[in-house]
Each structure stands twice: as structure tokens, then as C-alpha cells.
Amino acid sequence: MTTEKKRSVAESRTDGSKAPRPKDAATLILYRQSSKNTEILMGERSARHSFMPNTYVFPGGRVDASDGRIPPARDLRDDVMARLVRGGCSPARARALAVAAIRETFEETGLRLAETYPMPRRSRVAIWNDFGTTTCGPDLSKLDYIVRAVTPPSRKKRFNTRFFVADAETLEGEMKDSSELLDLRWVTIPQALNLDIPLITEHVLGHVDNFLKTRPERDANRPVPMFQMRHGKRIFGEE
């Protein structure tokens, strides 16, 4: 049995219970240009995770209730907002997803996509004060939205994940491992494909590769690839 198959079996429901409703989540794929190659940031999920432990993934996680209450220093680009809304989000939920991607990246890697606020403000959520909320907040304008994936109904935990990308050139902070994400490393896409990655991450990497090679225009009508499973079959569609 392959590693992916074993992981699928371990994370699948076996008690006949109803499939859980997928929870909103967001992931941030950071890229940078090295001397010869374009690299992306990945890390190994801690063994204590019940969902995809010991696999290499991008920074990210589920949306917290507080993410919808954090005012961004800069809003989403109009084309990115339009694509998120087209996929069923309200504008407020779209912002919460983007904020979650930036927050999770900061928590897991120490890196920030930030911009200065016009006036100092303080948050009741500790992580945002660590982020620098009194002086700066999440910069959503740096994000592009490229793919969406929903965890199969057979799994114990399910997520409706939006994958964002951003240029690492604008990052602040010092990269460091966390209790959530270990062995952080910059890798090329061929190198990433040789890591122990979930099947969905392999699929997303294909779209990341295409994005980095083509650098598509900022078009609100650009289709967003979407992965989901229906009646036991993988569906690769668009939204």
C-alpha cells in the first residue's frame, strides 16, 4: 500500500457517520526568484496533526472567527475579490479567507505580508498584536487567488480551501519553524514533487507551475480551477 493510500485510509471515516461539512480554510503559496530558479516555500506538518501529519505542505489553515474582524491595511484587488465572490463567498468572507492565509503564514513561518495602517490600532486577538497590528496590518493586495480544493466526503475532517499566491519579495520578518510547520525550505517545483506531499498538493503544484510560467493578467473573469469529489469520483472543474 502506498503512503498516500495509507494516509487516506487512516483519515477516512469508518463508523458510517454523516460526512462533516467542510470548513473554510486558506493557504498561501509564497514564491521567490533565486539566481536560476523560481522557488516556493514548503514545510512539514507536525506529527501531532490528525490531518495530513508528516507531509510537506504550504503554510495555511482554517479560518478563525476573528479573521473576519481584522481590518486589512490594504484590501483585495478587485479581480481577486470578483473571483472569490464568484465562487460563493460574500466580500466579507473573501477578506476573512485572505486574512486567514496571511495569519496562518505568520504563525507557522514568522513571515508577514504587511502594510502600515493610516492610524495605530490595537487588536483583542494576541496574534495580531504580535503581527504588529498597532502599526501595521495584513496586506491583502499582494495576494492572487489561483485554485480551490474541497476535502473528499469520506474523510474525518474536511476543508474548503482557497489557495492564494504571493511574491516573497515583499515579505517582512525572519523565517523560523513553528510547532505547526517544521523543516521550512525553499524548493523548486520539481524538488517539491519529490517530497512526501498529499495528492491534492501535487495537483495544486501543477497550477502553481502554470501560474509562475504564464503570470496571467489581472482578469476578474479568469477561471479558477476547482477540485472536489462526487459519488467517489474526482472532479477537476472550474468556478
Side-chain angles (χ1 to χ4, degrees):
M1 185 182 293
T2 65
T3 301
E4 179 65 30
K5 184 66 174 178
K6 290 179 180 177
R7 187 155 50 233
S8 177
V9 170
E11 295 178 359
S12 294
R13 290 177 295 108
T14 57
D15 58 1
S17 58
K18 184 179 179 180
R21 183 177 180 179
K23 298 176 180 177
D24 278 337
T27 290
L28 180 52
I29 304 161
L30 296 167
Y31 62 89
R32 71 177 188 183
Q33 187 66 41
S34 66
S35 57
K36 295 182 179 180
N37 301 295
T38 302
E39 300 174 322
I40 57 175
L41 182 63
M42 300 191 76
E44 183 183 18
R45 282 177 65 82
S46 169
R48 68 183 181 82
H49 284 285
S50 59
F51 186 75
M52 297 193 297
N54 300 119
T55 58
Y56 282 83
V57 297
F58 316 110
R62 61 179 291 184
V63 177
D64 286 350
S66 63
D67 293 328
R69 300 194 294 269
I70 300 300
R74 288 185 179 174
D75 204 352
L76 289 164
R77 295 187 338 229
D78 290 344
D79 62 299
V80 175
M81 174 66 82
R83 276 179 263 134
L84 286 162
V85 169
R86 190 174 69 228
C89 290
S90 67
R93 195 57 174 174
R95 292 186 183 93
L97 284 158
V99 168
I102 292 175
R103 173 186 53 76
E104 286 282 346
T105 297
F106 175 64
E107 289 178 338
E108 295 179 345
T109 72
L111 299 173
R112 301 183 303 166
L113 273 179
E115 185 54 70
T116 303
Y117 277 133
M119 296 182 62
R121 60 177 73 229
R122 179 168 293 279
S123 174
R124 295 181 181 179
V125 184
I127 188 63
W128 287 111
N129 289 321
D130 294 339
F131 186 92
T133 306
T134 55
T135 56
C136 63
D139 185 353
L140 310 190
S141 71
K142 299 293 196 305
L143 303 179
D144 205 338
Y145 170 46
I146 64 166
V147 67
R148 176 181 173 190
V150 182
T151 310
S154 60
R155 300 299 178 88
K156 298 174 184 176
K157 292 185 177 182
R158 302 184 67 208
F159 297 97
N160 185 358
T161 306
R162 276 77 168 187
F163 291 80
F164 297 91
V165 294
D167 190 339
E169 183 179 352
T170 60
L171 287 172
E172 300 176 7
E174 181 179 350
M175 188 171 78
K176 56 186 177 181
D177 292 356
S178 65
S179 60
E180 300 286 327
L181 213 54
L182 314 172
D183 190 29
L184 292 168
R185 57 173 82 176
W186 291 97
V187 294
T188 63
I189 288 180
Q191 290 170 337
L193 290 169
N194 285 323
L195 297 172
D196 182 6
I197 58 176
L199 182 61
I200 186 57
T201 302
E202 181 178 343
H203 174 65
V204 170
L205 281 168
H207 292 292
V208 176
D209 189 36
N210 180 65
F211 175 87
L212 294 175
K213 287 177 178 176
T214 63
R215 304 298 172 101
E217 294 183 3
R218 298 180 175 185
D219 184 356
N221 296 316
R222 191 174 85 214
V224 177
M226 180 176 177
F227 168 83
Q228 59 186 322
M229 290 198 70
R230 290 181 178 174
H231 309 298
K233 293 183 179 181
R234 294 188 178 96
I235 306 296
F236 297 93
E238 293 179 343
E239 64 176 22

